């Protein structure tokens, strides 16, 4: 079995060039005009069949010449985050308030070099590899947009990876089953009737209603969720009032709930709705619950994961670390609902950099990128030829 990881090492200079170009000029959400143009040109120069999807999505196809076969999808997300960068790197973001602090610049660069090597190995595989260069992963909109526009039509399996900061570069982590949590961000608007703090009986106190909601929602974790399952609920906002003796008219709470288990998710979302209705009746306030930026748990197909990990182990000496998953969420989950999916964690910790994803000072090891390319080639070519 061919060791594609060795070939990928020869592309490190190109990987770094691509990564740093994208890193310096980060873009947000569904509109990535400069990133799209760069990626599209690189793919067209390779001779790939390129199709634009939506504002900034790109679908690229490379067909094997060893015969007809199935289709493997490789997803690469391209968007950045709305924050400043404080790394001090020579290639730091030039765009104020926008930075690649989640590593999507590495993902995109890895996808481009994977496409390059695949074009050089057309005679070595059957079927085709389809690339999904997607915008708006951070706001959970890009994957759905591209799926709605047919990116999964005819796809048999899907692959993706993400930078991981739990281990230094040189290894790959994986999990068999639900490996990234669902995410349901919520907002609660409470409308009461304000008044004088000395006459609370003449008011409908939205702060009191908000406190009850806060307490009851937190009991969802201790009383409604199975304690053997990982589930978290966090409030990030509780805003109301302006002075010590004024009962306000309104209050606003925002938070997020996450779990790996789809059944727990379904149960808790219903219980949240029950609670706000009960609090509204109890306090005589209007309590409105709104969910936004929701995404299911990402399922890494166990049988397919075993098969692909086996190809890596049989053809290289890259260390594979099992049973590692994320409490973060990923819109690749929408793909995993449609086709068998495997999601890898590309270990890329920089020694001495102790910052996490989404921190303005975080950095990722560029030594990890050739490993990502080797991973995609090993999995895609061997799966196509064996299935």
């Amino acid at each position: 079995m061919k060791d594609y990881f060795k070939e990928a090492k020869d592309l490190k200079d190109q990987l770094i060039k691509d990564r740093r170009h994208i890193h310096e000029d980060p873009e947000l959400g569904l509109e990535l005009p400069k990133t799209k143009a760069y990626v599209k040109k690189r793919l067209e120069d390779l001779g790939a069949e390129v199709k634009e999807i939506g504002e900034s999505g790109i679908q690229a196809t490379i067909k094997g010449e060893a015969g007809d076969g199935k289709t493997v999808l490789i997803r690469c997300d391209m968007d950045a985050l709305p924050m400043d960068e404080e790394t001090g790197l020579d290639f730091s973001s030039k765009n104020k308030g926008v930075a690649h602090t989640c590593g999507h610049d590495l993902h995109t660069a890895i996808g481009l070099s994977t496409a390059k090597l695949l074009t050089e190995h057309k005679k070595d595989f059957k079927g085709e590899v389809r690339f999904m260069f997607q915008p708006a992963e951070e706001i959970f909109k890009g994957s759905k947009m591209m799926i709605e526009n047919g990116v999964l039509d005819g796809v048999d399996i899907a692959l993706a990876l993400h930078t991981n900061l739990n281990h230094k570069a040189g290894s790959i982590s994986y999990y068999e089953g639900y490996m990234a949590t669902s995410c349901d961000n919520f907002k609660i608007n409470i409308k009461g009737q304000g008044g004088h703090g000395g006459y609370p009986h003449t008011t409908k106190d939205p702060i009191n209603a908000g406190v009850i909601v806060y307490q009851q929602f937190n009991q969802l974790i201790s009383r409604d969720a199975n304690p053997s399952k990982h589930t978290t609920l966090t409030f990030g906002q509780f805003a109301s009032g302006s002075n010590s003796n004024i009962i306000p008219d309104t209050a606003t709470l925002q938070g997020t709930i996450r779990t790996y288990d789809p059944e727990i998710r379904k149960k808790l979302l219903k219980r949240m709705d029950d609670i706000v209705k009960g609090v509204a009746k109890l306090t005589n306030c209007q309590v409105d619950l709104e969910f936004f930026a929701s995404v299911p748990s990402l399922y890494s197909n166990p049988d397919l994961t075993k098969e692909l990990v086996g190809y890596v182990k049989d053809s290289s000496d890259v260390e594979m670390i099992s049973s590692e998953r994320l409490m973060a969420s990923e819109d690749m989950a929408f793909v995993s609902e449609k086709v068998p999916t495997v999601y890898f964690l590309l270990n890329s910790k920089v020694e001495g950099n102790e910052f996490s994803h989404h921190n303005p000072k975080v950095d990722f090891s560029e030594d990890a990128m050739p490993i990502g390319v080797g991973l995609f080639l090993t999995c895609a070519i061997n799966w196509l030829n064996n299935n």
Side-chain angles (χ1 to χ4, degrees):
M1 191 176 291
K2 189 173 181 61
D3 186 348
Y4 294 105
F5 290 90
K6 290 182 178 179
E7 279 190 61
K9 289 179 181 179
D10 295 334
L11 295 181
K12 186 174 180 182
D13 288 345
Q14 182 63 54
L15 281 159
I16 290 173
K17 180 181 178 182
D18 287 333
R19 183 258 171 142
R20 294 185 180 186
H21 176 90
I22 294 164
H23 188 94
E24 283 185 329
D25 204 2
E27 296 173 298
L28 298 173
L30 286 164
E31 298 182 9
L32 316 176
K34 295 178 182 178
T35 307
K36 178 187 75 172
Y38 183 84
V39 169
K40 183 181 178 184
K41 184 177 187 307
R42 291 273 286 107
L43 291 168
E44 288 175 339
D45 289 346
L46 294 172
E49 297 177 17
V50 179
K51 173 184 175 183
E52 292 189 37
I53 297 182
E55 181 67 30
S56 294
I58 298 175
Q59 175 180 312
T61 302
I62 297 172
K63 295 182 179 180
E65 297 176 351
D68 295 334
K70 296 188 176 183
T71 299
V72 171
L73 179 91
I74 294 177
R75 194 291 299 265
C76 308
D77 40 359
M78 306 186 292
D79 58 322
L81 284 157
M83 59 190 299
D84 288 319
E85 180 176 348
E86 300 174 7
T87 60
L89 295 169
D90 293 340
F91 53 93
S92 292
S93 171
K94 296 177 181 177
N95 302 338
K96 185 172 178 57
V98 188
H100 271 294
T101 55
C102 204
H104 295 184
D105 50 331
L106 281 79
H107 302 172
T108 304
I110 289 167
L112 291 174
S113 282
T114 300
K116 174 177 170 54
L117 279 185
L118 279 168
T119 61
E120 297 173 3
H121 284 282
K122 285 183 179 181
K123 295 181 180 180
D124 298 332
F125 67 94
K126 304 174 183 177
E128 65 180 55
V129 179
R130 183 179 304 171
F131 288 86
M132 175 183 173
F133 287 91
Q134 73 150 84
E137 189 282 324
E138 296 292 355
I139 56 175
F140 303 150
K141 292 184 178 181
S143 179
K144 286 198 292 185
M145 180 274 290
M146 295 190 73
I147 292 171
E148 289 167 0
N149 283 278
V151 75
L152 294 183
D153 292 352
V155 168
D156 295 289
I157 68 165
L159 311 176
L161 58 73
H162 201 291
T163 54
N164 184 41
L165 297 175
N166 290 337
H167 310 279
K168 65 181 181 180
S171 59
I172 298 164
S173 296
Y174 65 95
Y175 188 86
E176 298 170 15
Y178 289 104
M179 72 164 300
T181 62
S182 61
C183 174
D184 292 283
N185 294 336
F186 59 87
K187 184 176 183 179
I188 301 167
N189 289 312
I190 303 173
K191 182 173 176 55
Q193 178 180 308
H196 196 292
Y199 303 90
H201 58 289
T202 67
T203 71
K204 299 173 183 176
D205 186 351
I207 294 179
N208 179 53
V211 169
I212 297 172
V213 168
Y214 181 92
Q215 291 173 330
Q216 293 302 311
F217 271 30
N218 277 297
Q219 289 201 31
L220 290 172
I221 305 302
S222 64
R223 290 295 177 268
D224 287 81
N226 185 332
S228 69
K229 308 288 187 179
H230 291 82
T231 307
T232 63
L233 187 147
T234 300
F235 281 93
Q237 181 191 39
F238 192 147
S240 185
S242 61
N243 208 326
S244 60
N245 66 341
I246 302 172
I247 293 175
D249 284 321
T250 63
T252 299
L253 294 85
Q254 290 196 77
T256 184
I257 186 166
R258 297 167 186 257
T259 182
Y260 294 109
D261 193 304
E263 291 304 314
I264 289 179
R265 181 191 186 208
K266 181 179 178 181
K267 176 183 178 181
L268 295 189
L269 295 187
K270 181 182 183 303
R271 290 287 291 126
M272 291 165 75
D273 187 60
D274 292 342
I275 288 170
V276 298
K277 288 176 180 176
V279 173
K281 187 173 183 179
L282 179 68
T283 62
N284 285 321
C285 291
Q286 179 180 330
V287 187
D288 297 317
L289 171 64
E290 170 195 353
F291 291 101
F292 64 96
S294 293
V295 65
S297 179
L298 191 160
Y299 188 68
S300 197
N301 183 278
D303 291 337
L304 184 57
T305 300
K306 288 187 181 77
E307 180 179 356
L308 300 187
V309 169
Y311 295 145
V312 175
K313 290 181 176 180
D314 289 345
S315 65
S316 75
D317 59 359
V318 173
E319 182 185 5
M320 301 298 291
I321 301 172
S322 66
S323 300
E324 185 164 357
R325 53 184 179 172
L326 307 171
M327 280 305 290
S329 303
E330 236 286 5
D331 82 347
M332 187 69 184
F334 293 116
V335 174
S336 75
E337 287 186 319
K338 305 288 185 182
V339 298
T341 296
V342 176
Y343 191 83
F344 292 102
L345 298 177
L346 182 64
N347 296 318
S348 46
K349 181 178 178 60
V350 174
E351 189 172 353
N353 187 293
E354 301 301 327
F355 301 99
S356 69
H357 290 85
H358 296 209
N359 185 287
K361 295 181 180 179
V362 71
D363 190 19
F364 305 92
S365 173
E366 293 176 330
D367 293 338
M369 292 192 291
I371 297 172
V373 175
L375 172 69
F376 277 153
L377 253 77
T378 300
C379 293
I381 291 178
N382 285 291
W383 188 86
L384 286 169
N385 288 339
N386 285 297
N387 291 274

